[in-house]
Amino acid sequence: MAGLLLALPVAGLAQATAGKFEPAQIEAGRAQFHRTCAQCHGRNMINAGTTVYDLRKFPVDQPERFQHSVTNGKGNMPSFKEALTPEQIAVLWAYIGSRGGKEN
Ligand code: HEC
């Protein structure tokens, strides 16, 4: 009985650290990012963060905000509604939401 009680939280932890995204999605997102986003947001998301949003700081718990901003544009960022499919935006989220794969 004691063994069962101990096993449950451990299993939960293993699940939480298993990674939210598929490595293949992150890699597809990395390539897509460098085709359509890096010219403004910087190679590997590195920029001064003064006039262009620093994507390394984007809150990883706000996927809907990400999807909304990329789809409709925001401020000086154009809308990507015509340029990208929802699947392409989803792999971009895998890349950015995992901090480039570092926090997956
Ligand atoms: C033409 C330059 C440009 C390109 C290309 C660009 N962005 Fe942006 N992006 C910006 C600017 C400028 C902002 C800051 C907008 C603001 O808050 O006024 C921004 C902000 C953002 C934000 C934060 C939005 C928020 O909710 O605060 C996200 C996420 C983002 N960009 C993702 C992307 C992704 C993903 C791509 C590639 C598909 C991309 N951007 C391409 C210029 C660009």
Side-chain angles (χ1 to χ4, degrees):
M1 194 57 198
L4 180 64
L5 287 174
L6 280 172
L8 289 172
V10 172
L13 185 67
Q15 213 169 30
T17 54
K20 290 183 285 183
F21 305 104
E22 294 294 327
Q25 283 189 310
I26 296 171
E27 289 318 308
R30 190 189 309 279
Q32 184 65 55
F33 176 86
H34 288 97
R35 280 196 294 272
T36 46
C37 320
Q39 66 269 39
C40 290
H41 286 282
R43 250 195 99 65
N44 302 318
M45 295 188 268
I46 298 168
N47 70 52
T50 45
T51 54
V52 176
Y53 195 97
D54 186 342
L55 289 177
R56 294 168 294 174
K57 297 184 179 143
F58 189 85
V60 297
D61 59 352
Q62 294 182 14
E64 278 136 32
R65 170 177 159 192
F66 177 84
Q67 204 207 354
H68 185 269
S69 296
V70 175
T71 305
N72 301 307
K74 189 177 181 202
N76 286 328
M77 178 163 84
S79 156
F80 285 89
K81 204 182 300 187
E82 308 296 328
L84 297 173
T85 64
E87 291 73 26
Q88 287 172 313
I89 295 176
V91 296
L92 283 167
W93 175 244
Y95 174 65
I96 291 159
S98 69
R99 305 266 188 250
K102 288 195 197 87
E103 291 179 17
N104 191 38

